[in-house]
């Protein structure tokens, strides 16, 4: 008999979590103005708000924490991080930052100016925020297949090459670079194929443009290339990663994902010129060039995490857990973005809550219901997140209204996944009775989802 799959780690330290009652949760979510970000985490049983900075570090990473060098300039920890980035990702120059959006802020301070266009595959919200904040436009060139959640396509993060070409051809002087998000978070943690990365590189070269990877989940992307793309099954993750990055000029990284640290990020660069330009902003916004926003111990843990995070066993354990949850939901007939993504399940909420009008925030409504059902916290990737159009100030209604259940790395067991699946099933079973959503009573002018306040419609 073939042995079943099991995790490639055992557990050395645990953190208690607490179940609560439905009555408690109804009260708490009301007090939180129906915004799940406003809940204190002790009111959450299983927290799938994000996989960002919520992973469990390994014993090796914790050992590295003790070896951190906290020198202001030229710490050994800086060089550990530098070597890991050079050896695994192939970038000669780098700048540490406190997280991914800080890397975007620094890099875009050099590269983006008012009136620019930045084509890419469904830019993440902070990426888009930093582009729009500079009065430039993010142009989504994701393939059309990504917007049909029922369709199985191995690389729904891919860029539509024809569209990309025509956007650049028609706006050559407005485009400086293309952003490729690997994996593509906004389309469901969906990977970009190696062939697509190659094609993007060719378009960039044709017009003399740069390619910037938003690399938060690059290792999960590499895992999917290994599993799904012809010609890669016998390559190691590190070999695949090296080829992926060979097609990029620059990278920004939120290390809180695939480098499995709780805080940290960086920019990887190939030229001294860009490094020097970006250093000016790094010093202004983040800190001196050899620490950015990071402490020495965190740089050490990051270097170790980059190595572990690009090992096949780490990724297999992780993605099989996401697949496990997906399989349970499929059993219950709950619709989600197919195939299962790298870091999360994206529930297609328009197909679940068919009676809630889009003006009342469908995905948010399902998120609140799931919390009340079992204390499971997920996140809205829908109209609230999509924000208002910067010019018209009208709500932007995205093609898809997702409820994202992101799974922290090495934190929960499959028993937790079973609770999540059954909780969602219970909500799904009473979906016909859910007819009302929410109205906004307060919102910030940009990135409103974090602080929005709602009332029952
Ligand atoms: N790029 C991608 C693809 C991301 O998913 C994120 C963050 C960032 C950039 C920004 O990085 O948070 O370190 O500043 N995503 C988190 C999430 C917040 O929940 O998906 P950050």
């Amino acid at each position: 008999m073939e042995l079943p799959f099991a995790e490639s780690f055992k557990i050395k330290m645990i953190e208690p979590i607490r179940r609560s009652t439905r009555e408690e949760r109804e009260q708490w979510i009301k007090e939180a103005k129906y915004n799940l970000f406003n809940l204190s985490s002790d009111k959450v049983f299983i927290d799938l708000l994000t996989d960002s900075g919520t992973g469990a570090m390994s014993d090796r990473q914790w050992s590295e924490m003790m070896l951190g060098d906290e020198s202001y300039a030229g710490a050994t920890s800086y060089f550990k991080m530098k070597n890991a980035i050079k050896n695994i990702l192939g970038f000669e120059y780098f700048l540490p930052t406190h997280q991914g959006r800080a890397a975007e802020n620094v890099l875009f301070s050099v590269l983006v100016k008012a009136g620019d266009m930045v084509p890419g595959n469904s830019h993440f919200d902070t990426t888009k925020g930093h582009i729009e904040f500079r009065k430039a436009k993010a142009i989504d060139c994701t393939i059309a297949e990504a917007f049909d959640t029922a369709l199985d396509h191995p690389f729904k993060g891919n860029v539509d090459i024809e569209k990309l070409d025509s956007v650049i051809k028609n706006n050559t002087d407005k485009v400086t670079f293309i952003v490729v998000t690997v994996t593509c978070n906004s389309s469901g943690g969906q990977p970009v194929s190696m062939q697509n990365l190659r094609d993007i590189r060719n378009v960039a070269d044709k017009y003399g443009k740069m390619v910037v990877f938003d690399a938060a989940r690059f290792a999960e992307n590499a895992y999917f290339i290994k599993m799904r793309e012809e010609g890669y099954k016998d390559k190691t993750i590190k070999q695949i990663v090296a080829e992926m990055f060979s097609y990029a000029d620059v990278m920004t990284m939120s290390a809180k994902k695939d480098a499995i640290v709780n805080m940290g990020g960086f920019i990887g660069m190939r030229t001294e010129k860009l490094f020097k330009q970006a250093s000016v902003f790094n010093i202004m916004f983040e800190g001196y060039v050899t620490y950015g926003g990071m402490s020495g111990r965190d740089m050490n843990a990051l270097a170790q995490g980059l190595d572990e995070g690009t090992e096949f066993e780490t990724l297999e354990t992780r993605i099989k857990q996401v697949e496990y949850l997906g399989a349970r939901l499929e059993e219950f007939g709950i619709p989600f973005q197919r195939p299962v993504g790298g870091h999360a399940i994206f529930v297609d909420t328009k197909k679940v809550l068919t009676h809630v009008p889009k003006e009342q925030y469908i995905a948010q409504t399902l998120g609140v219901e799931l919390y009340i059902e079992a204390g499971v916290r997920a996140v809205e990737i829908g109209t609230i997140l999509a924000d208002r159009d910067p010019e018209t100030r009208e709500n932007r209604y995205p093609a898809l209204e997702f409820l994202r259940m992101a799974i922290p790395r090495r934190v929960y067991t499959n028993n937790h996944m079973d609770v999540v699946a059954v909780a969602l099933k219970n909500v799904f079973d009473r979906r016909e009775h859910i007819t009302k959503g929410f109205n906004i009573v307060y919102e910030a002018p940009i990135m409103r989802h974090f602080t929005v306040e709602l009332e029952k419609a």
Side-chain angles (χ1 to χ4, degrees):
M1 191 172 171
E2 196 187 334
L3 293 174
F5 176 77
E7 291 80 3
S8 64
F9 59 78
K10 58 182 177 173
I11 298 166
K12 183 145 33 191
M13 192 186 280
I14 61 100
E15 176 183 346
I17 49 176
R18 174 177 170 266
R19 286 186 200 88
S20 49
T21 65
R22 177 180 289 261
E23 291 67 39
E24 282 176 319
R25 292 190 294 271
E26 277 171 352
Q27 183 61 28
W28 291 336
I29 193 66
K30 189 171 168 210
E31 286 165 9
K33 309 272 177 26
Y34 301 101
N35 178 347
L36 294 145
F37 285 98
N38 282 339
L39 289 170
S40 63
S41 65
D42 57 347
K43 298 184 172 68
V44 176
F45 181 44
I46 301 172
D47 204 348
L48 308 186
L49 187 68
T50 180
D51 64 321
S52 180
T54 54
M57 291 206 293
S58 66
D59 52 356
R60 272 139 241 209
Q61 285 179 290
W62 279 106
S63 325
E64 282 296 331
M65 295 286 277
M66 298 306 291
L67 299 173
D69 175 0
E70 307 303 340
S71 304
Y72 189 94
T76 57
S77 301
Y78 166 81
F79 291 102
K80 260 189 194 166
M81 188 166 156
K82 186 176 173 60
N83 285 338
I85 291 169
K86 173 88 201 346
N87 295 338
I88 299 169
L89 309 173
F91 287 89
E92 203 66 50
Y93 297 93
F94 96 103
L95 285 167
T97 61
H98 78 274
Q99 59 183 87
R101 69 198 68 182
E104 292 164 0
N105 188 31
V106 169
L107 182 67
F108 293 178
S109 293
V110 180
L111 296 184
V112 180
K113 57 180 192 318
D116 281 359
M117 284 182 168
V118 185
N121 55 342
S122 302
H123 312 61
F124 183 66
D125 54 319
T126 59
T127 318
K128 195 173 187 164
H130 276 297
I131 292 168
E132 291 179 349
F133 182 72
R134 291 173 172 82
K135 307 222 172 331
K137 274 209 175 92
I139 312 290
D140 188 3
C141 299
T142 312
I143 54 168
E145 288 89 333
F147 300 96
D148 178 353
T149 58
L151 189 82
D152 258 311
H153 181 293
F155 293 101
K156 276 186 172 174
N158 278 359
V159 168
D160 180 331
I161 297 297
E162 265 177 44
K163 181 166 180 193
L164 176 70
D165 192 294
S166 87
V167 167
I168 303 181
K169 187 160 70 193
N170 297 325
N171 306 280
T172 312
D173 50 337
K174 291 186 181 152
V175 177
T176 306
F177 64 98
I178 305 158
V179 178
V180 190
T181 307
V182 288
T183 58
C184 186
N185 185 357
S186 310
S187 72
Q190 298 292 323
V192 180
S193 72
M194 196 70 91
Q195 185 56 49
N196 198 245
L197 294 177
R198 231 174 266 135
D199 294 343
I200 294 165
R201 178 74 261 169
N202 288 337
V203 174
D205 287 345
K206 179 168 150 194
Y207 296 101
K209 307 298 177 191
M210 285 197 283
V211 176
V212 177
F213 281 7
D214 174 353
R217 300 179 184 85
F218 73 92
E220 292 173 3
N221 199 95
Y223 175 86
F224 285 121
I225 288 175
K226 183 176 168 80
M227 305 311 276
R228 296 180 183 170
E229 192 163 352
E230 180 83 41
Y232 290 92
K233 81 173 170 12
D234 297 324
K235 294 220 186 318
T236 66
I237 296 294
K238 285 190 170 66
Q239 286 169 334
I240 295 171
V241 164
E243 185 182 342
M244 281 169 61
F245 283 100
S246 75
Y247 304 123
D249 299 292
V250 189
M251 67 174 288
T252 57
M253 173 89 186
S254 168
K256 300 165 73 171
K257 285 85 167 173
D258 278 355
I260 327 180
V261 288
N262 302 118
M263 194 55 73
F266 59 90
I267 310 168
M269 291 152 286
R270 300 211 187 276
T271 67
E272 191 182 6
K273 181 173 172 221
L274 182 59
F275 170 75
K276 283 192 165 155
Q277 289 173 314
S279 293
V280 175
F281 295 101
N282 218 65
I283 292 170
M284 264 196 330
F285 300 149
E286 292 296 297
Y288 181 60
V289 295
T290 64
Y291 72 87
M294 299 184 70
S295 49
R297 63 182 84 93
D298 288 339
M299 292 195 277
N300 271 15
L302 194 161
Q304 174 64 27
L306 268 184
D307 186 31
E308 283 173 25
T310 48
E311 284 301 308
F312 178 74
E313 287 72 19
T314 307
L315 290 159
E316 184 188 37
T317 291
R318 156 136 189 90
I319 289 171
K320 280 204 187 297
Q321 183 167 54
V322 185
E323 286 170 354
Y324 176 83
L325 177 57
R328 292 300 325 258
L329 297 183
E330 198 156 87
E331 206 180 292
F332 299 139
I334 298 167
F336 56 86
Q337 173 71 300
R338 303 175 55 96
V340 170
H343 66 298
I345 301 282
F346 285 62
V347 180
D348 186 348
T349 66
K350 277 192 197 168
K351 291 188 182 161
V352 178
L353 298 183
T354 50
H355 304 316
V356 176
K358 70 177 190 313
E359 293 78 10
Q360 294 178 11
Y361 311 108
I362 303 167
Q364 182 68 15
T365 306
L366 188 63
V368 170
E369 290 290 338
L370 180 64
Y371 172 72
I372 292 172
E373 183 66 32
V376 174
R377 175 158 72 169
V379 75
E380 194 249 23
I381 308 269
T383 304
I384 298 180
L385 180 82
D387 243 315
R388 292 178 188 274
D389 185 287
E391 274 152 34
T392 67
R393 302 306 300 159
E394 291 299 318
N395 264 334
R396 290 190 276 214
Y397 293 102
L400 295 167
E401 288 271 353
F402 285 129
L403 181 69
R404 184 187 77 170
M405 303 191 295
I407 305 179
R409 293 166 184 75
R410 317 194 277 209
V411 170
Y412 293 113
T413 68
N414 283 358
N415 288 333
H416 293 111
M417 298 303 116
D418 285 333
V419 172
V420 172
V422 171
L424 197 57
K425 176 196 186 308
N426 291 347
V427 177
F428 189 64
D429 287 347
R430 57 181 165 79
R431 64 190 180 281
E432 294 296 323
H433 305 289
I434 304 170
T435 55
K436 287 202 165 115
F438 295 93
N439 294 320
I440 290 182
V441 291
Y442 163 78
E443 64 183 285
I446 192 166
M447 296 199 195
R448 62 182 178 178
H449 57 290
F450 290 117
T451 51
V452 71
E453 294 178 3
L454 302 161
E455 66 180 11
K456 281 190 176 167

